Amino acid sequence: MGTRRRSARARPLALPLSVLLLFAFSSGVAAAAQGIERIKDDPVGKLKVYVYELPPKYNKNIVAKDSRCLSHMFATEIFMHRFLLSSAIRTSNPDEADWFYTPVYTTCDLTPWGHPLTTKSPRMMRSAIKFISKYWPYWNRTEGADHFFVVPHDFAACFYFQEAKAIERGILPVLRRATLVQTFGQKNHACLKDGSITVPPYTPAHKIRAHLVPPETPRSIFVYFRGLFYDTSNDPEGGYYARGARASVWENFKNNPMFDISTDHPQTYYEDMQRAVFCLCPLGWAPWSPRLVEAVVFGCIPVIIADDIVLPFSDAIPWEEIAVFVAEDDVPQLDTILTSIPTEVILRKQAMLGEPSMKQTMLFPQPAEPGDGFHQVMNALARKLPHGRDVFLKPGQKVLNWTEGTREDLKPW
């Protein structure tokens, strides 16, 4: 089914002023204060990270070849490396390290269309791990159980953008003992490893901050969304993309005046989000998208449509207090669900979203800032300490099978 378009102009909506304006009333502020205590943890002094020095073919040379990967939604792997190189958490003495980090940019080798070459990613990761296991003793003593890797692919260490293929490949076998820092998170899924740290996708902080509007700007749009409803190029029959949730949004609400939805992407996109009460955050090929980051930063209540999603920094961010969750099967009732939310609940969520520390957790600014996404990752690693006895292997003990994997993934890189 072809993609349909509507006008991208934000339409004013005749809703009660109490719903459309942001207010910071006492109960909302109190709830916000309770919800951000863990966000403000300072990881400095709680852990030490050793950064392996790899040949530049694994990282710097790839960026030099194609700078597009500095701005796409997988760029966390690059900026996490840069953050750690200058962080007080870094140690130059591996014997005192709590965690080891391998800076390998598996999403930076791009096609002409800007998509990561997922066929190469597993081979590249295996090659990097072989390198550190050869030249340092630390991988071999734990087979990666005290190592973490940033894998920001659609389906993380399954290294593929379509779910069925990702599940078929599974998590790269040599990463099965490591901690994964990944954007993908879905409960009871083959591509989510126990103990993974789920992070937001990368969105350039400077770009977002350049579009901030005055906080008193009225929220004159009730529901806002810009993006694909049908991915006809990758899903011609229209039955697989977003598990039909986006198609359902379009078919049910394309003519509803409360819904400002379109495939167009206007220049006022960021400003429009700041004029909306609710911003739809439906799944696409994976459960997450940058819209979640944008909604939180712009104070637009995220409407999360992605069954069983594991949200970024869920052990610190009070998602139930700042977002609305709608089951994929309930999309046809979306209008009723949203208009039934009491005004005081909307205002409380808006007050919490208005907290600067809440917005800070979703961003990876350059340079790093207190409480940002980098620090939340470090906080999550610190909360995993101390390592248990099962982390360290007995002499001669092996757990991982280096010959396991698909024929393609076992080729040299």
Side-chain angles (χ1 to χ4, degrees):
M1 191 176 295
T3 302
R4 300 168 185 147
R5 295 181 178 269
R6 296 186 67 195
S7 170
R9 184 174 59 87
R11 299 182 301 283
L13 182 66
L15 289 173
L17 187 62
S18 61
V19 175
L20 297 178
L21 297 178
L22 281 171
F23 292 100
F25 62 104
S26 58
S27 62
V29 172
Q34 294 174 1
I36 62 177
E37 290 179 1
R38 209 169 194 191
I39 288 174
K40 291 185 176 181
D41 282 352
D42 185 357
V44 176
K46 296 180 181 178
L47 79 164
K48 291 291 185 181
V49 174
Y50 182 77
V51 180
Y52 287 116
E53 185 172 345
L54 300 184
K57 69 176 183 177
Y58 291 104
N59 41 59
K60 297 177 183 178
N61 286 359
I62 308 175
V63 177
K65 176 184 175 183
D66 195 337
S67 62
R68 290 178 298 170
C69 53
L70 287 168
S71 57
H72 69 20
M73 60 185 175
F74 306 121
T76 314
E77 61 183 2
I78 301 171
F79 294 117
M80 182 63 69
H81 184 199
R82 295 183 178 182
F83 160 74
L84 283 170
L85 289 178
S86 59
S87 172
I89 290 169
R90 182 190 181 191
T91 178
S92 58
N93 179 5
D95 291 320
E96 70 173 14
D98 300 298
W99 290 98
F100 295 81
Y101 168 66
T102 306
V104 51
Y105 301 168
T106 57
T107 69
C108 196
D109 194 0
L110 305 177
T111 68
W113 302 274
H115 302 141
L117 288 165
T118 51
T119 55
K120 293 185 178 181
S121 297
R123 291 150 51 188
M124 184 179 182
M125 182 65 78
R126 284 172 54 88
S127 175
I129 294 174
K130 282 186 175 181
F131 183 85
I132 63 172
S133 67
K134 179 179 179 180
Y135 292 102
W136 288 271
Y138 306 102
W139 171 274
N140 297 319
R141 69 183 187 180
T142 68
E143 289 196 322
D146 55 353
H147 289 55
F148 71 93
F149 294 82
V150 181
V151 283
H153 280 268
D154 283 315
F155 286 93
C158 287
F159 297 115
Y160 209 73
F161 71 96
Q162 289 184 335
E163 186 172 21
K165 180 67 174 179
I167 291 174
E168 179 185 337
R169 294 175 79 165
I171 293 173
L172 188 68
V174 293
L175 292 177
R176 287 179 182 163
R177 284 179 59 83
T179 289
L180 305 180
V181 177
Q182 56 188 61
T183 45
F184 169 76
Q186 184 174 318
K187 299 174 185 175
N188 303 315
H189 197 282
C191 298
L192 177 65
K193 181 182 178 295
D194 287 344
S196 290
I197 298 170
T198 308
V199 301
Y202 176 75
T203 304
H206 65 280
K207 181 180 177 181
I208 280 187
R209 290 168 175 171
H211 291 267
L212 293 175
V213 303
E216 65 273 12
T217 301
R219 292 193 175 266
S220 55
I221 305 169
F222 190 53
V223 180
Y224 189 76
F225 176 79
R226 291 293 182 271
L228 287 178
F229 298 98
Y230 304 91
D231 188 348
T232 54
S233 60
N234 293 303
D235 183 26
E237 296 181 3
Y240 188 70
Y241 178 61
R243 297 198 285 257
R246 292 197 187 196
S248 183
V249 169
W250 177 258
E251 297 301 340
N252 284 283
F253 304 109
K254 58 188 174 185
N255 296 318
N256 189 318
M258 293 191 299
F259 285 68
D260 190 347
I261 59 178
S262 172
T263 57
D264 293 333
H265 201 290
Q267 291 184 342
T268 57
Y269 173 68
Y270 283 159
E271 289 79 4
D272 291 345
M273 291 187 80
Q274 294 170 82
R275 297 185 179 99
V277 177
F278 296 105
C279 288
L280 301 185
C281 300
L283 73 161
W285 284 113
W288 56 271
S289 82
R291 290 176 190 80
L292 187 64
V293 176
E294 296 160 350
V296 172
V297 173
F298 291 138
C300 185
I301 299 171
V303 180
I304 298 169
I305 307 170
D307 293 352
D308 296 322
I309 189 173
V310 177
L311 288 158
F313 306 129
S314 57
D315 62 342
I317 297 176
W319 286 104
E320 293 288 342
E321 298 297 324
I322 64 175
V324 172
F325 294 82
V326 176
E328 294 165 24
D329 288 344
D330 290 339
V331 167
Q333 290 80 48
L334 196 54
D335 53 348
T336 302
I337 293 170
L338 296 181
T339 55
S340 299
I341 298 175
T343 300
E344 60 268 22
V345 173
I346 292 175
L347 296 177
R348 184 168 63 247
K349 291 180 184 295
Q350 289 177 330
M352 293 191 71
L353 286 168
E355 284 288 325
S357 58
M358 193 71 70
K359 304 174 186 295
Q360 191 80 330
T361 63
M362 304 298 286
L363 297 174
F364 296 93
Q366 322 303 314
E369 301 169 1
D372 63 13
F374 298 115
H375 287 87
Q376 300 310 321
V377 173
M378 297 300 109
N379 282 333
L381 290 170
R383 287 193 282 268
K384 289 179 175 290
L385 298 175
H387 295 300
R389 291 183 178 179
D390 59 337
V391 164
F392 298 95
L393 303 178
K394 298 176 182 179
Q397 182 184 5
K398 297 290 183 183
V399 177
L400 301 178
N401 181 359
W402 280 83
T403 63
E404 183 181 356
T406 67
R407 180 180 301 177
E408 183 68 24
D409 291 350
L410 292 174
K411 292 180 179 178
W413 180 77

